[in-house]
Amino acid sequence: MTTEASAKKPEIKPATGKLGVLTPGMGAVATTFIAGVIAIRKGLAKPIGSLTQMGTIRLGKRTEKRFPLIKDVLPLTDLEDIVFGGWDIFEDNAYQAALKAGVLEKELLNQIRPELEAIKPWKGVFQREYVKKLDGHYIKEAKTKWDYAQMVMEDIARFKEEHQLDRLVMVWTGSTEVYIKPGEVHQSLEAFEKGLKENHPDISPSMIYAYAAVKMGIPYANGAPNLSVDFPAMWELAKETHAPIAGKDFKTGQTLMKTILAPGLKARLLGLEGWFSTNILGNRDGEVLDDPESFKTKEESKLSVLEYILQPELYPELYKNFYHKVRINYYPPRGDNKEGWDNIDIFGWLGYPMQIKIDFLCRDSILAAPIVLDLALFLDLAGRANFHGIQEWLSFYFKSPMHLPELYPEHDLFIQLMKLKNTLRFMLGEEQITHLGADYYDYYQG
Ligand SMILES: NC(=O)c1ccc[n+]([C@@H]2O[C@H](COP(=O)([O-])OP(=O)(O)OC[C@H]3O[C@@H](n4cnc5c(N)ncnc54)[C@H](O)[C@@H]3O)[C@@H](O)[C@H]2O)c1
């Protein structure tokens, strides 16, 4: 068996030719990502928030002073080589959809209008019982879920041919579907494929897109909290086709703040009495989440974060009984510009109480767009390095990181970043950084 320590540096195929980035769901996040990449290519804006574009990585010892940009040392696809494609249940092209989403200013969109207008979604796979608040009519017609999957694969093959693409990746940027618990049909590939043919009700549209991608060996990331690719049947398929997969639910806004703050409180052994998070947002995502069944999927994803970071079983006096509540309120006047409030009741030395208040005036899609870019580029890199199955090193980007059933998920943003960068070092054949640092000081001559 190959252990971590004995694993050899992977051979990474070069990023030759074009990369197709597929986005099922061309709403606020997808269009902010697409318009952003096009604007950046034209020199109109900067890729702020993107690790692949602006992040550096320390290599070797501190005395070596090697801090290159990640994109200068790893063979990532160049932004110029990305081609966009996707599906929606509304016919709007990327320009119209971006205007409606109201995230980016019209002046910016008008400067890249022809490029955006050329991106027209293909008809979506959609059934209303999975997203109750939406009623789109730009949808495919077929008898079985199996047939829908074949149609998605045909769209992908045609797109690849038309644009002479070398490789593809898919990132789910569609709406949050209703909560589905993994059942029998998700336990094996055989059961899942049978379920597709028999229209099993526990197979949602996002699973159909995911199946189509993974079946074709295309890396897949899930930006929403739906199951999509997070069950044994898909893991089995990913193993068979060598597709890297990652998810779930982009870590932006309030949860991002939580996974920044909570590790700090725990590091200083400050106790937690309660954490109340509420927010108002008025985009289509907010409207979908107004449905209790879609919200339940989201709530599950948001609640578990603190439990894992704070480890109440190890620190019962500090974290055993904290009260955690998360609310999302649909409030149209705010559009994509969410306002999120957190009230955090903590206690310190001798049990004395203190409070922290956060008022985060954030822009959801502005935080999510660089995540879509990084995931697309890192998953494509993973595919070329022959990494497949669950890519835990990409947990950094998710609220509910996918993980093996026998492991707990890692939510601490700083551990996640270290894991990500150490994976990149491994790909480069560079030494892992432990931060021990004892040899600089000579304080131990054992
Ligand atoms: N923006 C963030 O910060 C953030 C963070 C975490 C997760 N997410 C998730 O990302 C997803 C996208 O968010 P958004 O703000 O762009 O939402 P949005 O409503 O603007 O866009 C979603 C798009 O998906 C389309 N869609 C829905 N079902 C579809 C289907 N079956 N096939 C094809 N298209 C379909 C909708 O018509 C819509 O255009 C949501 O699930 C959201 O929960 C967003």
Side-chain angles (χ1 to χ4, degrees):
M1 194 184 135
T2 316
T3 61
E4 256 179 15
S6 68
K8 279 212 220 69
K9 167 182 164 5
E11 288 289 320
I12 308 178
K13 294 196 192 95
T16 45
K18 301 256 176 230
L19 172 71
V21 178
L22 298 160
T23 46
M26 310 264 284
V29 172
T31 56
T32 306
F33 152 68
I34 294 171
V37 170
I38 296 172
I40 293 159
R41 287 205 291 228
K42 292 192 147 191
L44 300 171
K46 296 239 172 328
I48 295 174
S50 161
L51 197 62
T52 58
Q53 304 306 302
M54 299 188 94
T56 61
I57 184 163
R58 181 187 132 198
L59 300 175
K61 300 185 71 61
R62 268 183 279 167
T63 43
E64 292 175 38
K65 297 195 168 48
R66 284 195 291 151
F67 306 101
L69 282 172
I70 289 172
K71 69 176 180 152
D72 286 347
V73 280
L74 279 144
L76 294 173
T77 300
D78 195 281
L79 296 191
E80 295 294 335
D81 292 326
I82 294 180
V83 182
F84 305 97
W87 297 262
D88 207 286
I89 60 170
F90 298 100
E91 206 174 346
D92 297 334
N93 62 46
Y95 176 75
Q96 294 162 321
L99 269 189
K100 280 193 192 158
V103 179
L104 300 176
E105 280 163 14
K106 203 169 173 182
E107 280 154 44
L108 177 67
L109 295 176
N110 281 342
Q111 292 181 71
I112 52 175
R113 185 169 177 165
E115 290 92 332
L116 288 175
E117 279 178 339
I119 303 167
K120 300 186 175 90
W122 310 305
K123 283 186 177 173
V125 176
F126 184 71
Q127 279 120 17
R128 204 158 172 202
E129 61 263 40
Y130 301 98
V131 187
K132 302 214 161 90
K133 291 269 177 174
L134 287 186
D135 188 17
H137 294 283
Y138 186 63
I139 53 181
K140 296 191 192 304
E141 299 285 346
K143 280 214 176 65
T144 67
K145 294 183 176 180
W146 174 264
D147 296 334
Y148 282 122
Q150 307 309 311
M151 290 165 97
V152 171
M153 288 193 248
E154 284 160 21
D155 287 340
I156 298 175
R158 201 180 51 246
F159 176 58
K160 189 169 184 205
E161 176 69 30
E162 257 172 36
H163 294 273
Q164 294 291 301
L165 304 174
D166 190 58
R167 305 169 311 285
L168 290 138
V169 311
M170 188 186 283
V171 184
W172 172 264
T173 47
S175 311
T176 300
E177 295 172 333
V178 299
Y179 182 66
I180 296 176
K181 236 181 133 85
E184 269 306 303
V185 73
H186 304 111
Q187 296 313 313
S188 71
L189 185 56
E190 197 187 339
F192 187 79
E193 290 187 334
K194 185 163 171 278
L196 280 172
K197 288 174 185 153
E198 294 173 356
N199 283 333
H200 196 291
D202 287 349
I203 299 183
S204 68
S206 74
M207 294 179 202
I208 297 175
Y209 289 102
Y211 173 81
V214 178
K215 179 82 187 166
M216 294 174 87
I218 296 172
Y220 179 92
N222 177 16
N226 345 290
L227 280 183
S228 294
V229 78
D230 194 12
F231 49 87
M234 271 324 170
W235 306 339
E236 196 182 324
L237 182 61
K239 197 168 177 189
E240 210 174 281
T241 62
H242 278 213
I245 53 178
K248 313 186 288 270
D249 206 6
F250 301 132
K251 177 147 85 175
T252 55
Q254 239 164 356
T255 309
L256 173 65
M257 285 299 143
K258 236 170 228 176
T259 63
I260 291 173
L261 252 188
L265 297 176
K266 188 177 83 171
R268 298 301 289 256
L269 297 169
L270 293 167
L272 183 68
E273 194 84 54
W275 196 313
F276 176 63
S277 306
T278 187
N279 62 53
I280 50 174
L281 89 160
N283 57 15
R284 194 187 276 156
D285 187 31
E287 191 179 354
V288 167
L289 293 171
D290 219 31
D291 170 44
E293 289 183 69
S294 284
F295 177 64
K296 184 163 168 45
T297 316
K298 205 48 151 188
E299 191 182 24
E300 292 272 327
S301 168
K302 284 173 172 269
L303 279 179
S304 61
V305 164
L306 285 182
E307 287 286 328
Y308 283 110
I309 294 181
L310 298 174
Q311 298 177 295
E313 67 294 351
L314 295 185
Y315 303 99
E317 286 140 303
L318 301 175
Y319 306 122
K320 188 86 203 293
N321 293 315
F322 67 86
Y323 195 90
H324 188 194
K325 195 157 192 88
V326 179
R327 283 278 162 271
I328 297 180
N329 303 290
Y330 176 53
Y331 179 63
R334 272 308 159 90
D336 200 65
N337 296 351
K338 177 157 95 182
E339 181 158 6
W341 293 271
D342 287 271
N343 172 73
I344 312 158
D345 287 291
I346 62 171
F347 54 92
W349 184 242
L350 313 179
Y352 276 68
M354 296 174 266
Q355 290 183 9
I356 303 172
K357 312 271 182 192
I358 304 175
D359 182 1
F360 188 14
L361 291 119
C362 77
R363 293 171 190 262
D364 256 9
S365 304
I366 292 294
L367 293 169
I371 298 185
V372 180
L373 174 63
D374 284 358
L375 284 171
L377 297 190
F378 279 145
L379 277 175
D380 169 52
L381 175 73
R384 282 183 283 113
N386 202 17
F387 282 24
H388 48 83
I390 300 172
Q391 302 298 297
E392 205 203 16
W393 62 285
L394 297 174
S395 297
F396 180 66
Y397 295 107
F398 297 109
K399 282 195 197 75
S400 298
M402 276 168 60
H403 58 96
L404 285 177
E406 62 270 27
L407 295 175
Y408 66 84
E410 186 49 75
H411 283 284
D412 179 325
L413 191 83
F414 306 99
I415 298 179
Q416 291 172 333
L417 181 62
M418 198 176 335
K419 195 189 247 311
L420 190 157
K421 288 198 171 175
N422 271 339
T423 305
L424 299 181
R425 291 185 186 105
F426 169 69
M427 285 183 178
L428 288 165
E430 292 278 345
E431 248 175 72
Q432 303 298 303
I433 289 186
T434 62
H435 300 287
L436 179 63
D439 42 354
Y440 297 120
Y441 290 95
D442 241 11
Y443 49 53
Y444 175 67
Q445 279 102 29

